[in-house]
Amino acid sequence: MKEFNVSPESLIKRYDRLKSDRVNWDQMWEELATYLMPGKVDFISTTTRGTKRAAEVYDSTGIHALQILSASLHGSLTSPSTKWFGLRFRQDELNEDKDAKDWLEQCSKSMFQEFGKSNFSTEVAESYQDMVGFGTACLQFDVKTKDAQFDGFNFRACHLAEVVISESEEGRIDTVFRKIKLTARQAKQKFGDDAGDKAIKALEKDPDKEFEYIQAVFPREIQGEVAMVAPPHMRPWACYYISVIDKKICKESGYYELPYMVPRWGKTTGDIYGFGPGCVARPDIKTLNESRKLAMKAWEKSIDPPLKALQNGILGKIDMRPSTVTYVRDMNSLLPITNATNWNADQLMLGDVRASVRRIFFSDQLELNEGPQMTATEVQVRYELMQRLLGPTLGRLQSEFLNPIVERAFYSMLRGQALPPMPE
């Protein structure tokens, strides 16, 4: 194995470089989050936790359409009620062997049970929303151990503001940097005495003070095959945790597989980050939101119209409260200003733009009757419908998202001896 010469300064510099390369994406994602997922702003601006984040949204058509499409993807591709994957050997002769096929079937059942025990369903649903809205998502897949034994899966849908990525020569995501914030107490729990001088000093006076850390995951240059069980520094994927303020490596580790899945809805040649229906529908969503805002102003004027009066034609002040009297010199001195809003044209325009947004998100085609639990036939119908509408996207999802999840789950359980005994 070729030794890696890494330093905290070089890793922080690389993160800053990757972060600066996506400034334009941050601006677009901030705008998309404002109208589609108000709870996921903070790409450029920083808001205080718990503050109102949907003050600029006047129409929820885009939000609803995004939820329908992301829920349809979740229900058809990774339904928690139906086993959504299968296993095969690469050698055709093994796929024809009954004992081998039975073993793979038992393995897939064990894996599906572990997915059900974990938080996979909730976190992958959030990843689908990111992918539909922003065109790119990031799902962290960790394997829990207890006393060096396999203890289940843990998933986390990462906010895109935290993550920067880089591609390999083949166009696959192979480098992920993630900036996280930990309190001094959390840093001590995670890194022990290596949490950094500033965090250790803060433990006594302010244990809840937050510090920034960067997790860097990238491939190692390994020659030859990797053993089934290897120490962390000998595994194919290097992992470093760096304290930003102290410029210190707090922890070095490694993975057998890339623990981050970064699916992209669609991608333009030369770009690293993807684009999704939210990017396509952005002009219509902004138009709809602004039109709705103007319509609400016109509606307010129609209900409570402004008044016009002759100069010196009013005695005292105008009193708009119920059962009050305003004295005028002439009965025609105080009149409402007529609102000339064409409500029919306004409704026609809003209807056309709403229909355009729904078409971009495939809402009309994907709204099937939902029940407490879909039958296998309903799942198959939905999957076939998704294949017709989203053929290229599903192919990208399979290679960048679903296959890596299944492969990491299988090999993690195999190494942890959590799968049934292998037949002879």
Side-chain angles (χ1 to χ4, degrees), residues 2 8 10 22 49 179 183 195 239 258 279 316 318 332-333 348 351 356 367 379 381 387:
K2 184 178 179 179
S10 64
R22 55 163 248 189
R49 295 175 183 175
K179 179 178 281 190
T183 64
C239 175
L258 182 64
C279 305
I318 299 175
N332 295 323
S333 296
L348 287 173
S356 175
E367 282 188 301
V379 172
V381 169
Q387 282 186 316

Side-chain angles (χ1 to χ4, degrees), residues 41-321:
V41 291
D42 297 339
F43 288 97
I44 298 176
S45 61
T46 302
T47 58
T48 306
R49 295 175 183 175
T51 56
K52 186 187 298 184
R53 299 190 178 188
E56 300 179 25
V57 179
Y58 295 90
D59 188 275
S60 61
T61 302
I63 297 175
H64 183 236
L66 178 142
Q67 291 175 346
I68 291 175
L69 180 53
S70 58
S72 298
L73 286 169
H74 185 24
S76 60
L77 300 180
T78 52
S79 172
S81 60
T82 305
K83 188 160 72 72
W84 45 271
F85 63 91
L87 301 175
R88 284 177 58 85
F89 290 103
R90 290 177 180 172
Q91 294 84 359
D92 291 335
E93 58 271 16
L94 288 177
N95 290 316
E96 298 174 358
D97 183 270
K98 184 178 183 305
D99 292 338
K101 288 195 300 183
D102 291 343
W103 179 72
L104 280 187
E105 182 63 26
Q106 294 174 6
C107 291
S108 64
K109 288 181 179 179
S110 299
M111 291 165 58
F112 184 70
Q113 290 175 357
E114 291 297 334
F115 281 125
K117 295 176 184 177
S118 70
N119 59 341
F120 174 73
S121 185
T122 56
E123 297 300 311
V124 78
E126 186 174 347
S127 295
Y128 285 129
Q129 291 183 3
D130 289 347
M131 187 169 47
V132 171
F134 303 131
T136 306
C138 182
L139 181 69
Q140 184 178 4
F141 182 179
D142 285 330
V143 180
K144 297 186 293 184
T145 57
K146 186 176 182 181
D147 298 330
Q149 297 294 323
F150 174 82
D151 192 39
F153 302 141
N154 184 64
F155 296 87
R156 180 192 296 271
C158 303
H159 196 306
L160 277 181
E162 303 173 347
V163 178
V164 294
I165 58 176
S166 181
E167 288 183 334
S168 67
E169 183 273 334
E170 297 177 347
R172 295 182 178 272
I173 302 297
D174 68 346
T175 300
V176 178
F177 280 61
R178 178 172 173 241
K179 179 178 281 190
I180 58 177
K181 290 184 178 181
L182 298 175
T183 64
R185 185 175 65 89
Q186 292 171 337
K188 171 68 174 178
Q189 292 172 344
K190 189 173 184 66
F191 306 119
D193 293 334
D194 294 326
D197 296 338
K198 299 292 192 302
I200 297 299
K201 289 180 180 178
L203 276 174
E204 298 179 2
K205 297 182 179 180
D206 190 4
D208 294 319
K209 183 178 179 179
E210 289 186 335
F211 295 89
E212 289 185 338
Y213 294 86
I214 292 176
Q215 181 188 13
V217 181
F218 50 87
R220 285 191 173 106
E221 296 182 13
I222 296 180
Q223 298 177 354
E225 295 185 359
V226 180
M228 176 63 72
V229 179
H233 67 279
M234 297 284 291
R235 296 172 186 173
W237 302 91
C239 175
Y240 291 88
Y241 284 92
I242 306 101
S243 170
V244 176
I245 191 171
D246 291 310
K247 292 183 172 57
K248 171 190 175 182
I249 293 179
C250 302
K251 182 180 179 181
E252 178 185 358
S253 183
Y255 295 97
Y256 295 98
E257 302 89 18
L258 182 64
Y260 286 99
M261 286 73 196
V262 188
R264 295 164 290 185
W265 182 276
K267 192 173 77 72
T268 303
T269 302
D271 288 339
I272 296 178
Y273 298 93
F275 65 89
C279 305
V280 179
R282 182 176 56 151
D284 285 340
I285 292 173
K286 291 178 63 178
T287 300
L288 184 60
N289 197 73
E290 190 64 25
S291 301
R292 186 66 173 165
K293 180 180 178 180
L294 294 174
M296 291 178 67
K297 290 183 178 180
W299 183 44
E300 182 181 4
K301 292 177 182 178
S302 299
I303 296 175
D304 188 12
L307 302 175
K308 61 182 178 180
L310 292 174
Q311 187 175 8
N312 299 326
I314 308 298
L315 301 177
K317 295 182 179 180
I318 299 175
D319 195 339
M320 301 297 292
R321 295 175 299 172

Side-chain angles (χ1 to χ4, degrees), residues 344-360:
N344 291 331
D346 175 72
Q347 291 302 315
L348 287 173
M349 191 277 292
L350 288 176
D352 290 342
V353 180
R354 285 196 180 102
S356 175
V357 172
R358 292 192 180 102
R359 283 195 299 269
I360 293 172

